[in-house]
């Protein structure tokens, strides 16, 4: 069954959007399975740049089915803006939203900010998109689903209860003012509901029919392994299962249907938000990678923290996701340095740490131990494009040595190598949608 999951192996922003867009040319169905407007997936297609927060990264190809899974939390206003932008660009994708996906409402935004402030040093530096409070309501069975948003009487009755409760929490617990009345929210969100209702469809039925007719399905992850609510660096991650298991629960596809799990690996580390990043660079090398790569958050514009590649987290990502292949990105960005480093393991005091600690206080105490590599030359945009056309063997030898070392260390083969933001800047070593020989 040709079902492939594309998942982030680090702290997000690995280039999942680019990789999903690349694979989507050969897929029939693309499904986003977690997160919401906290995600920012950038795609460069025919020289045009698109930044998506909700819509699956298959939307740029005509004829694909793009599903937004039950594992997502949807900000109707932002989603409509994305759809409008696509329409303005002359793109009219086939999109369906799961009726089981949850809705982010105005009180979630306020609570996101208020909770972060109260958490002090344990604040994750969220995107302030109401993600945590919305998933919290879902788990508490207090949430409002898309199916309810588009049903005016169900929405009114749930909103009535929730508005009273949230207002008391915001004003009583956090001492803040919540200026939005129930009527105001009802009227604004029923308007969004009217515009979105045509997109809310039985995605379970669509998936079932795609599976039985052996359609090629891509499951698009958001965020990354170290941001997963269970497997990430708690409490500095997000509030959903971003890992491959989340692809099953967040779409309604059973694990036995999944063929391939491709881990997207940026060849260095980046992180927006707080929490320990053992390989973080605070020197001119980190600054130069940030500047060269334009490493600023797609969603919030915040500068991304930069570090060397960390094999401890990558081995862990291979394990928790069951990775079958690696898609390397940003080989071009990391070029032009004399020497590179890769963290092979951590030490805590004199002790070697054998696996990624569960506790952030433990991780904070870990010191990275590095292996040095020779760097490779920057070939310039044309040079990288020419490499992509000629194939893997045309990559500079030190770049191949670096990638092959990482692949061997994590025990997962290389499927793709990305040398630039465009579709054409990509070398394919294994095509997930080609039949196995
Ligand atoms: P995502 O959240 O994982 O989809 O990643 P983002 O879109 O937030 O950030 C990745 C950025 O890197 C985007 O601006 C992409 O266009 C860009 N990108 C992806 N792959 C490559 C690559 O191989 N080289 C370069 N230079 N840029 C890349
Ligand atoms: P994509 O899909 C990078 C980070 C935030 C914060 C933490 C929790 O583009 O890779 P949240 O708003 O989810 O409650 O924030 O997670 N974060 C991301 N970092 N890329 C993302 O998505 C992220 N989504 C959330 O910075 O530290
Ligand atoms: Mg991103």
């Amino acid at each position: 069954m040709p079902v492939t999951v594309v998942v982030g192996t680090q702290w997000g922003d690995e280039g999942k959007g680019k990789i999903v867009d690349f694979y989507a040319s050969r897929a029939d169905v693309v499904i986003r399975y977690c997160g919401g407007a906290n995600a920012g997936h950038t795609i460069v297609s025919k020289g045009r740049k698109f930044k998506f927060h909700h819509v699956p990264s298959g939307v740029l190809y005509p004829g694909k089915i793009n599903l937004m899974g039950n594992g997502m939390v949807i900000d109707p206003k932002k989603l409509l803006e994305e759809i409008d932008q696509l329409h303005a660009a002359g793109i009219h994708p086939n999109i369906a939203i799961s009726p089981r996906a949850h809705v982010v409402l105005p009180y979630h935004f306020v609570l996101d900010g208020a909770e972060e402030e109260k958490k002090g040093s344990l604040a994750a530096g969220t995107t302030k998109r109401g993600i945590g409070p919305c998933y919290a309501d879902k788990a508490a069975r207090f949430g409002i689903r898309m199916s309810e948003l588009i049903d005016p009487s169900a929405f009114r009755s749930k909103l009535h209860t929730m508005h009273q409760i949230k207002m008391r929490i915001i004003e009583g617990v956090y001492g803040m003012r919540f200026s939005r009345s129930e009527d105001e929210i009802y009227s604004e969100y029923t308007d969004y509901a009217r515009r979105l209702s045509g997109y809310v469809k039985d995605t379970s039925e669509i998936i079932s029919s795609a599976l039985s007719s052996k359609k090629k399905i891509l499951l698009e992850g958001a965020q990354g392994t170290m941001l997963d609510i269970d497997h990430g660096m708690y409490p500095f991650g997000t509030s959903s299962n971003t890992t491959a298991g989340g692809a099953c629960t967040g779409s309604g596809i059973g694990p036995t249907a999944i063929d391939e799990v491709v881990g997207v690996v940026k060849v260095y580390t980046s992180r927006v938000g707080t929490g320990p990043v053992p390989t973080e660079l605070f020197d001119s090398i980190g600054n130069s990678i940030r500047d060269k790569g334009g490493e600023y958050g797609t969603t919030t514009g915040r500068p991304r923290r930069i570090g060397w590649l960390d094999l401890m987290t990558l081995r862990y990502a291979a394990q928790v996701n069951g990775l079958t292949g690696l898609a390397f990105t940003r080989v071009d960005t990391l070029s032009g340095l004399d020497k590179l480093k890769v963290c092979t393991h951590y030490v805590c005091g004199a002790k070697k740490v054998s696996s990624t600690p569960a506790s952030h206080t433990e991780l904070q105490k870990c010191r990275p131990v590095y292996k040095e590599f020779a760097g490779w030359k920057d070939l310039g945009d044309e040079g990288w494009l020419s490499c992509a056309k000629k194939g893997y063997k045309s990559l500079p030898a030190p770049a191949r040595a670096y990638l092959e070392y990482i692949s061997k260390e994590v025990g997962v083969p290389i499927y793709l190598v990305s040398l630039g933001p465009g579709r054409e800047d990509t070398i394919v070593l294994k095509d997930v949608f080609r039949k196995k020989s």
Side-chain angles (χ1 to χ4, degrees), residues 125-148:
T126 72
T127 57
K128 304 267 168 44
R129 296 290 165 95
I131 303 294
C134 185
Y135 277 116
D137 277 358
K138 170 179 170 174
R141 285 152 287 129
F142 250 161
I144 297 182
R145 285 174 152 189
M146 284 303 292
S147 58
E148 292 162 322

Side-chain angles (χ1 to χ4, degrees), residues 11-13 16 38-41 124-127 131 222-223 227 236-238 271-273 302:
W11 274 273
D13 302 328
K16 297 171 294 294
N38 51 349
H41 295 183
T126 72
T127 57
I131 303 294
Q223 290 79 50
L227 297 174
F236 298 105
T238 190
R271 167 72 161 120
V272 231
R302 291 178 287 180

Side-chain angles (χ1 to χ4, degrees), residues 80-356:
L80 281 163
E81 280 169 17
E82 268 171 71
I83 294 174
D84 287 345
Q85 274 169 24
L86 282 166
H87 289 177
I91 299 161
H92 298 273
N94 181 353
I95 294 175
I97 308 167
S98 168
R100 295 178 175 88
H102 279 248
V103 184
V104 184
L105 287 148
Y107 45 77
H108 292 133
F109 299 112
V110 179
L111 283 167
D112 195 350
E115 289 170 6
E116 279 275 280
E117 217 174 294
K118 272 275 184 283
K119 284 177 185 168
S121 64
L122 291 179
T126 72
T127 57
K128 304 267 168 44
R129 296 290 165 95
I131 303 294
C134 185
Y135 277 116
D137 277 358
K138 170 179 170 174
R141 285 152 287 129
F142 250 161
I144 297 182
R145 285 174 152 189
M146 284 303 292
S147 58
E148 292 162 322
L149 178 74
I150 60 171
D151 172 347
S153 70
F155 180 50
R156 176 56 109 174
S157 128
K158 265 207 151 166
L159 181 67
H160 179 67
T161 313
M162 293 314 297
H163 188 267
Q164 288 179 39
I165 295 171
K166 300 296 182 184
M167 195 133 111
R168 279 188 207 158
I169 296 175
I170 292 168
E171 300 192 349
V173 177
Y174 293 107
M176 293 169 75
R177 231 181 80 70
F178 183 52
S179 57
R180 307 293 308 276
S181 74
E182 180 193 322
D183 283 346
E184 227 174 63
I185 298 175
Y186 179 77
S187 137
E188 179 183 341
Y189 280 73
T190 43
D191 190 41
Y192 300 144
R194 191 184 44 72
R195 294 186 55 205
L196 285 174
S197 62
Y199 294 104
V200 181
K201 293 183 185 155
D202 188 347
T203 46
S204 175
E205 175 84 36
I206 300 171
I207 291 171
S208 161
S209 122
L211 282 171
S212 56
S213 53
K214 304 260 185 287
K215 293 268 189 264
K216 298 181 186 106
I217 301 176
L218 257 182
L219 288 154
E220 175 178 6
Q223 290 79 50
T225 301
M226 295 310 288
L227 297 174
D228 183 282
I229 181 77
D230 287 289
H231 305 293
M233 199 31 68
Y234 192 86
F236 298 105
T238 190
S239 301
S240 64
N241 283 117
T242 61
T243 44
C248 295
T249 51
S251 66
I253 293 182
T256 49
I258 290 171
D259 238 21
E260 300 271 11
V261 182
V262 179
V264 186
V265 181
K266 189 181 272 193
V267 291
Y268 49 89
T269 296
S270 76
R271 167 72 161 120
V272 231
T274 58
V277 176
T279 61
E280 185 165 5
L281 284 163
F282 298 98
D283 57 8
S284 59
I285 299 181
N287 293 339
S288 74
I289 296 173
R290 182 184 305 106
D291 287 348
K292 182 168 179 180
E295 289 282 13
Y296 295 87
T298 312
T299 300
T300 58
R302 291 178 287 180
R304 292 173 179 154
R305 298 157 66 193
I306 303 293
W308 296 120
L309 189 98
D310 185 346
L311 278 177
M312 289 292 279
T313 54
L314 212 51
R315 288 190 201 100
Y316 178 68
Q319 177 201 319
V320 300
N321 291 294
L323 298 183
T324 59
L326 301 178
F328 285 114
T329 61
R330 295 276 197 176
V331 170
D332 56 319
T333 306
L334 198 61
S335 63
L337 297 172
D338 286 341
K339 293 222 176 303
L340 307 174
K341 288 183 186 176
V342 170
C343 165
T344 55
H345 61 280
Y346 305 145
V347 285
C348 188
K351 227 176 97 209
K352 183 173 174 181
V353 178
S354 57
S355 62
T356 301

